[in-house]
Amino acid sequence: MNLPARPRLVSNTPAPPPGGQTPAVEHGSGAPARSALDKHVLDYLDQGLCIFDSDQRLVLANARFLEIYGLSLRQAQPGMPFVELVAQRFRTGLLAEDLASILAQEGAPPTSHPPDETQILDDGRCIIVRRRPMQHGGWMVTYEDVTERCRAEQRIQHMALHDALTGLPNRLVLRRRLLAALHSAHSGDAVALHCIDLDRFKLVNDTYGHGVGDKLLKIVGERLRASVRTTDTVARLGGDEFAIVQPGVRRQSDAATLAERIIARLSEPMRIDEKIIDIGASIGIAMTQQGEIDEDALMRHADVALYRAKNAGRGACRFFEPSMANELRDKHLLEADLRLAVARRQLVLHYQPLMDLATMRVCGFEALLRWQHPERGLVPPDQFIPIAEETGLIIHIGEWVLQQACADAAGWPEDIRVAVNLSPAQLKGDGIRASLTAALKASGLDPRRLEVEITEGLFLADGPHAMEMLQEVKALGVRISIDDFGTGYSSFNYLSSFPFDKIKIDRSFIRGLPEEKRSLAILRSVVGLAKALGISTTAEGIETVQQLLAARVEGCNEVQGYLLSKPKPLAGTEDIIARYNAPGANGCGLLTPQVA
């Protein structure tokens, strides 16, 4: 046979003599005869091979066997007892298992088809050992190096159970560890489940890109691992959500201490690609004693507590309480009712007037959304607007508000504008220009009579894209104002980056006027800045004549509040216009003749 030389160890059987016959080799009673040529062929197998006779002596061992275990020809001589061959392999230091285990794995098979055995060598290699009986009472053992296959399977298994980005266990592992912790909890011990949501993570992604966001998540994973005990489990649930199973908790304060440590650790600045990034974390915690609750309920309760923590503001931690579940159930019921309300047209618009302080006449109305529930009555907007934004209903609702407000304003005198609040969700996509164009076209309203109000939170959530969308709105001729000015972040930065038409000064800065010096100083500085930038100002929340006078003296252009009127249905706007804009009305006596 023409076989190339194998670049491994040579056979431990002499090569056949020239010309012919290969002598038979016998080792013990019943040992199978093999020609040297056959043995030479066996040296080319990818598997290691050993054949033993009925006296448990080695008949032959091929080169691959010697290579796998690092043996020389002298250490695997034909005729060597099986036990001695195993002992030779132990001397190499590769066998991690004890002698008895190896003898059981490779000794004479007790049945005709014994199961395969797996050996893990000390150097990490994985060997599959298979035994098969042979005629005359001997047996054959093959050794297959499946290290790469094992590593691939381990990688696949790891990928199935761990997050690819952070290397943390995933939701499946978290559930298993949580269930195990509940079952193994000692009497008097509790298990705490922490649900963690990062604050301001979306801002990082939107501002710096997903590459920086991914690096941030890796750092968060490392910080979480460093903050817990070896008995705790840290997992990534997806996105910017993480969780920790904390077993062996004696007191609620133990869980609170861990949560506070995590919040503090994640609030520390991170340096990523030469950028200093600040985030934070909100945490919801659910605790239980052994047998009191199952893992599904515990996870639901931790989610409910997290929802409460996020509503409480950044960097908050909340423990689950039964009342939270009731509130969440009510929220879900309200959400279902809201979907019906949209379909059944239960939403209505009320209008609150804005007064021009130079003329003391109504110059516009702000459209305010109301929900006339058939059973609950008039539902306040602060109860259903957040639900509409969470569920995405705000997009459909916002389009209806634009259409209805423009249609209603078209029936007012031409010198009166209408202001409509835009949700950040409406500016996330690319449809706001089309929505405004359609509403203006359908109503015939002059774009200069439409004013859209946005909050500063819009820039925090989606700064660059929001600015692009606002430029498109501005190009239509629609006026743009910042609502609740001063309550957001980097307010003055926004003023310098976009030509707003109006600033609406938040009611929190008006409430203390005119006695509170700090509020007066803030009002004065905002009005001064707005004048320098050519931007008009509206003071919100005017409820007293004194507040109105202070706003007028400090140079505000407009005021809005209950002193003028509460929000009214469309039919009430005619009376308001008639009252304040009639010839000689002069603010209906709101100002004394001396001041007026």
Side-chain angles (χ1 to χ4, degrees):
M1 299 177 66
N2 266 338
L3 292 173
R6 183 183 182 89
R8 291 197 258 190
L9 295 175
V10 297
S11 168
N12 57 348
T13 302
Q21 298 288 332
T22 301
V25 180
E26 291 285 346
H27 296 292
S29 61
R34 291 290 183 270
S35 69
L37 181 60
D38 291 340
K39 178 61 180 67
H40 189 60
V41 172
L42 294 177
D43 283 341
Y44 284 87
L45 291 177
D46 286 332
Q47 296 179 345
L49 173 68
C50 286
I51 297 177
F52 299 92
D53 62 19
S54 59
D55 292 331
Q56 299 191 6
R57 291 182 176 275
L58 180 66
V59 176
L60 66 84
N62 72 349
R64 180 59 176 146
F65 170 78
L66 302 179
E67 183 180 351
I68 288 173
Y69 291 102
L71 298 174
S72 66
L73 291 172
R74 182 174 299 178
Q75 291 172 303
Q77 286 295 318
M80 176 181 290
F82 166 68
V83 175
E84 175 59 25
L85 179 62
V86 174
Q88 291 285 3
R89 287 158 59 196
F90 263 101
R91 294 187 185 102
T92 66
L94 287 174
L95 296 182
E97 301 175 70
D98 56 50
L99 179 60
S101 297
I102 299 299
L103 291 175
Q105 286 178 359
E106 302 181 24
T111 64
S112 58
H113 295 288
D116 296 347
E117 302 283 354
T118 302
Q119 285 181 7
I120 304 299
L121 304 186
D122 264 355
D123 60 6
R125 285 180 292 154
C126 181
I127 309 297
I128 298 296
V129 179
R130 299 182 179 91
R131 295 176 292 167
R132 295 293 181 268
M134 297 183 67
Q135 293 178 346
H136 313 297
W139 76 97
M140 177 177 64
V141 188
T142 61
Y143 306 83
E144 182 180 3
D145 188 340
V146 293
T147 303
E148 290 305 316
R149 185 198 310 170
C150 288
R151 289 173 179 169
E153 291 173 353
Q154 290 171 357
R155 286 193 294 269
I156 292 172
Q157 185 178 25
H158 187 275
M159 290 171 61
L161 299 176
H162 292 77
D163 171 54
L165 180 64
T166 64
L168 292 173
N170 61 15
R171 187 184 294 271
L172 177 61
V173 176
L174 179 79
R175 290 180 66 89
R176 291 177 181 175
R177 302 276 178 85
L178 178 58
L179 186 60
L182 291 172
H183 286 321
S184 62
H186 299 294
S187 178
D189 283 353
V191 177
L193 177 63
H194 302 247
C195 280
I196 305 165
D197 189 87
L198 302 183
D199 298 330
R200 300 187 293 275
F201 176 71
K202 186 179 183 305
L203 176 63
V204 173
N205 261 348
D206 293 342
T207 305
Y208 302 113
H210 290 278
V212 171
D214 287 348
K215 292 177 182 178
L216 184 148
L217 290 173
K218 291 181 181 179
I219 295 174
V220 168
E222 293 168 0
R223 291 187 178 184
L224 289 176
R225 270 190 291 250
S227 300
V228 302
R229 307 167 300 177
T230 56
T231 53
D232 301 333
T233 297
V234 180
R236 183 185 176 205
L237 304 183
D240 61 343
E241 295 184 20
F242 297 80
I244 296 175
V245 176
Q246 183 187 15
V249 177
R250 288 284 178 176
R251 298 171 298 275
Q252 189 182 80
S253 58
D254 294 339
T257 299
L258 174 59
E260 290 167 2
R261 181 163 66 246
I262 290 170
I263 290 173
R265 190 75 179 90
L266 296 184
S267 298
E268 296 175 6
M270 304 178 188
R271 178 180 288 276
I272 302 175
D273 296 344
E274 304 304 319
K275 303 176 181 66
I276 301 299
I277 296 175
D278 292 298
I279 59 167
S282 300
I283 302 179
I285 307 173
M287 292 179 59
T288 181
Q289 298 290 337
Q290 182 183 14
E292 289 184 356
I293 199 170
D294 62 30
E295 73 276 13
D296 289 325
L298 197 66
M299 293 185 76
R300 287 198 305 271
H301 291 177
D303 277 337
V304 171
L306 175 61
Y307 179 80
R308 174 64 68 86
K310 291 183 72 66
N311 286 343
R314 296 179 181 86
C317 167
R318 291 293 183 271
F319 284 86
F320 172 78
E321 299 173 1
S323 60
M324 294 180 181
N326 296 332
E327 292 176 8
L328 189 62
R329 184 182 63 252
D330 292 342
K331 173 181 173 289
H332 289 158
L333 291 174
L334 194 63
E335 177 185 332
D337 286 352
L338 181 57
R339 292 184 184 278
L340 288 175
V342 173
R344 296 175 179 176
R345 299 185 178 276
Q346 294 174 358
L347 300 178
V348 296
L349 291 181
H350 285 192
Y351 294 93
Q352 187 175 34
L354 294 93
M355 176 177 282
D356 186 324
L357 288 177
T359 63
M360 297 303 292
R361 291 166 57 88
V362 169
C363 59
F365 288 90
E366 180 180 359
L368 300 169
L369 188 62
R370 297 293 185 264
W371 178 9
Q372 189 63 50
H373 194 282
E375 297 174 0
R376 302 172 187 256
L378 202 61
V379 181
D382 60 353
Q383 290 186 15
F384 71 88
I385 292 296
I387 295 176
E389 291 180 335
E390 289 177 17
T391 58
L393 285 172
I394 195 66
I395 302 297
H396 181 68
I397 293 173
E399 289 184 354
W400 174 82
V401 169
L402 277 173
Q403 294 170 3
Q404 190 62 49
C406 288
D408 291 345
W412 298 333
E414 293 185 358
D415 59 343
I416 294 181
R417 300 187 303 272
V418 63
V420 177
N421 292 278
L422 290 186
S423 165
Q426 291 176 269
L427 287 167
K428 283 184 179 179
D430 299 325
I432 187 60
R433 181 185 178 94
S435 297
L436 286 167
T437 301
L440 292 169
K441 182 178 180 180
S443 63
L445 188 70
D446 187 331
R448 292 172 295 181
R449 293 179 58 195
L450 175 60
E451 186 173 284
V452 294
E453 298 183 2
I454 62 170
T455 61
E456 296 175 75
L458 170 67
F459 296 96
L460 185 64
D462 194 6
H465 181 73
M467 196 68 72
E468 181 181 344
M469 292 299 100
L470 290 179
Q471 292 286 2
E472 292 191 9
V473 172
K474 188 81 170 177
L476 294 175
V478 175
R479 292 166 55 88
I480 302 176
S481 64
I482 297 183
D483 198 10
D484 303 328
F485 184 81
T487 61
Y489 301 84
S490 304
S491 306
F492 298 113
N493 182 50
Y494 302 143
L495 294 182
S496 64
S497 60
F498 187 82
F500 291 98
D501 297 287
K502 183 195 291 186
I503 294 172
K504 298 191 75 174
I505 304 170
D506 187 69
R507 66 186 67 243
S508 61
F509 303 120
I510 304 299
R511 192 176 298 118
L513 297 177
E515 295 84 3
E516 191 175 297
K517 292 183 179 179
R518 176 171 294 184
S519 295
L520 191 61
I522 292 174
L523 174 65
R524 186 172 296 159
S525 63
V526 172
V527 171
L529 176 64
K531 285 183 177 180
L533 295 174
I535 302 173
S536 67
T537 52
T538 297
E540 296 183 287
I542 298 292
E543 297 182 358
T544 68
V545 172
Q546 289 74 21
Q547 291 172 345
L548 185 147
L549 290 172
R552 190 179 195 222
V553 168
E554 295 303 326
C556 280
N557 301 103
E558 300 171 0
V559 291
Q560 178 182 358
Y562 281 7
L563 179 64
L564 306 180
S565 173
K566 292 182 178 181
K568 301 287 185 182
L570 176 63
T573 61
E574 294 182 6
D575 294 336
I576 295 174
I577 294 171
R579 177 184 176 192
Y580 287 106
N581 290 15
N586 195 26
C588 295
L590 291 177
L591 300 179
T592 63
Q594 291 82 0
V595 178

